[in-house]
Amino acid sequence: LIFAIASFLFTLPLGKIELSFVRLIQGFGSGMILPGVFSYAGIIKSDNKKIVSVRLFNLFYYASLASGPILGAILYTYLGYNFVFRFVAIFAFIVLIINQLFLPQFKMLDSIPESTISFRKLIRHNIVKAIILTAFLRAIRSSVLMSFITVLIFLNDKENALQIGIIVSIGLFVMAIF
């Protein structure tokens, strides 16, 4: 819901500060999606099927991530800036409704299981620190690739939006393959 609303806000006439704030909110909403998906995959699937479901999810995740820039560039080229963000917002609302209708609802735990370890104890382990650092660096890499590079290319006016979409999509497909 946060992602959908923030996507729609891009169509409003906003200044640089407001656009930055809306992008921050959209990034926050986007960042909340993956943990929810992995939680559902872990709860719904039995142990022997979790790996298959995570692999399929990664396949669809990277395919959509890589096809997004080219689809956005095509829509922008032929239908305009506002249409792209309205399309993203409407698509996000549709996904939200589908999730609410078809995903099973789980009861919240009344108490924390005894086998649960606190984050304070977990963060003491170097492997956990490495995982968090890796996730942080991946987020920075993605934000640079998806935001700043495309904006800089677009501002320099050396390429048109369709060429930028193709370049970014090819880069993401190559990242997904390797």
Side-chain angles (χ1 to χ4, degrees):
L1 182 62
I2 292 170
F3 181 79
I5 292 170
S7 296
F8 180 75
L9 291 176
F10 277 110
T11 63
L12 302 176
L14 302 170
K16 293 176 186 175
I17 301 295
E18 292 88 3
L19 278 174
S20 298
F21 185 67
V22 168
R23 179 62 191 109
L24 181 69
I25 293 170
Q26 187 189 38
F28 179 73
S30 175
M32 293 170 57
I33 294 170
L34 285 180
V37 169
F38 283 123
S39 294
Y40 260 102
I43 292 170
I44 293 172
K45 297 289 182 182
S46 63
D47 286 338
N48 59 349
K49 294 183 181 179
K50 283 181 189 174
I51 293 174
V52 173
S53 72
V54 170
R55 285 182 181 170
L56 284 174
F57 173 76
N58 280 331
L59 172 71
F60 287 113
Y61 174 74
Y62 282 108
S64 64
L65 188 65
S67 59
I70 189 71
L71 177 61
I74 291 169
L75 293 175
Y76 171 76
T77 301
Y78 295 107
L79 300 170
Y81 173 86
N82 284 340
F83 182 84
V84 173
F85 286 102
R86 288 183 184 135
F87 178 81
V88 170
I90 290 169
F91 192 73
F93 275 121
I94 291 170
V95 169
L96 175 70
I97 291 168
I98 289 170
N99 284 331
Q100 292 298 315
L101 292 175
F102 296 107
L103 281 180
Q105 300 297 317
F106 296 104
K107 294 180 181 178
M108 297 297 292
L109 293 175
D110 292 332
S111 63
I112 298 173
E114 290 181 23
S115 63
T116 303
I117 299 173
S118 73
F119 183 73
R120 188 174 287 159
K121 288 182 182 178
L122 272 178
I123 196 68
R124 292 181 186 155
H125 299 283
N126 287 336
I127 190 72
V128 175
K129 291 176 188 173
I131 291 169
I132 292 172
L133 179 62
T134 302
F136 180 72
L137 292 175
R138 288 177 71 192
I140 290 174
R141 180 200 65 203
S142 295
S143 67
V144 168
L145 179 68
M146 299 302 285
S147 300
F148 299 113
I149 292 175
T150 55
V151 169
L152 288 175
I153 293 171
F154 192 70
L155 289 177
N156 287 332
D157 202 27
K158 293 181 180 176
E159 312 293 335
N160 67 26
L162 194 55
Q163 290 170 326
I164 295 168
I166 291 169
I167 291 167
V168 173
S169 290
I170 289 172
L172 287 168
F173 277 122
V174 169
M175 283 175 29
I177 290 168
F178 291 112

